[in-house]
Amino acid sequence: HVGRGIELLDQVVSNAERHSLSLLLELHAAPGGQSGRQTTGRSDPTWEPSRFDADGALSALRLVATRYNSSRSVVAISPLNEPELSNEVLLPYYQRAYETVRGSGMRAGQVAFVLQLYGLGAIFSLGWAALDSPEGLPAARYPNIIFDLHLYYGVLVPPFPALFDRLASPHFVAGPLVHL
């Protein structure tokens, strides 16, 4: 937790509360990185998945979840932005992250836990089948999880945009829309 990041986040949360805005807080730059892309806070073409520091990421989530667990503006938290990690790494990390967030006072009835399904590979390998399995994060044990189909339509070539327009309908993704 280097720099003024937490002070700036305090200002964002305070302003959101003052103006009745809703926030989704997301860990964009996990310690060690969750990919080598610029969206993790650093661009590193030599990045290796072994650099991901799950314990460091959980520490950052614990700090944020504890600090903002009583904020009326924080309606969701996401443990990683655009991860490029294997299911063998992500599933246990997501389970630990969920327990960390809930154990830090962000209750399931108030704050959603958002998991990104980043890219086609994650949608088809990590998606519902893995996450909703008994070994994953089944809803009965891990309530109020939202799957974010994190796709960039502008970079897809035909016929993919039309296909994903159909797949991304609210009823396909999450059933009827719900109020957070």
Side-chain angles (χ1 to χ4, degrees), residues 104-123:
S104 298
M106 286 190 163
R107 297 190 315 265
Q110 294 179 307
V111 179
F113 191 78
V114 179
L115 297 178
Q116 284 189 2
L117 300 179
Y118 175 59
L120 298 177
I123 289 170

Side-chain angles (χ1 to χ4, degrees), residues 19-174:
H19 298 289
S20 300
L21 299 174
S22 297
L23 298 173
L24 181 157
L25 302 180
E26 183 169 73
L27 182 57
H28 266 249
Q34 63 271 25
S35 80
R37 298 183 190 275
Q38 82 284 358
T39 54
T40 66
R42 59 191 129 339
S43 181
D44 182 358
T46 66
W47 178 83
E48 298 279 332
S50 61
R51 291 188 195 169
F52 174 63
D53 178 2
D55 291 332
L58 293 171
S59 176
L61 281 175
R62 185 176 301 106
L63 172 76
V64 169
T66 300
R67 193 171 189 101
Y68 305 114
N69 65 15
S70 63
S71 171
R72 63 187 182 280
S73 286
V74 176
V75 299
I77 190 164
S78 180
L80 279 180
N81 177 63
E82 300 180 3
E84 293 182 7
L85 299 163
S86 70
N87 290 358
E88 291 76 25
V89 172
L90 283 174
L91 280 173
Y93 170 73
Y94 285 159
Q95 290 167 337
R96 291 175 62 203
Y98 184 94
E99 296 301 332
T100 296
V101 166
R102 298 302 181 227
S104 298
M106 286 190 163
R107 297 190 315 265
Q110 294 179 307
V111 179
F113 191 78
V114 179
L115 297 178
Q116 284 189 2
L117 300 179
Y118 175 59
L120 298 177
I123 289 170
F124 294 115
S125 70
L126 180 62
W128 296 266
L131 290 172
D132 200 34
S133 72
E135 299 79 30
L137 291 108
R141 286 198 335 256
Y142 298 91
N144 203 6
I145 290 180
I146 295 174
F147 297 150
D148 168 11
L149 292 181
H150 204 78
L151 297 171
Y152 292 96
Y153 292 96
V155 298
L156 295 174
V157 295
F160 290 114
L163 170 66
F164 286 112
D165 283 344
R166 286 193 303 271
L167 290 178
S169 73
H171 288 282
F172 178 83
V173 175

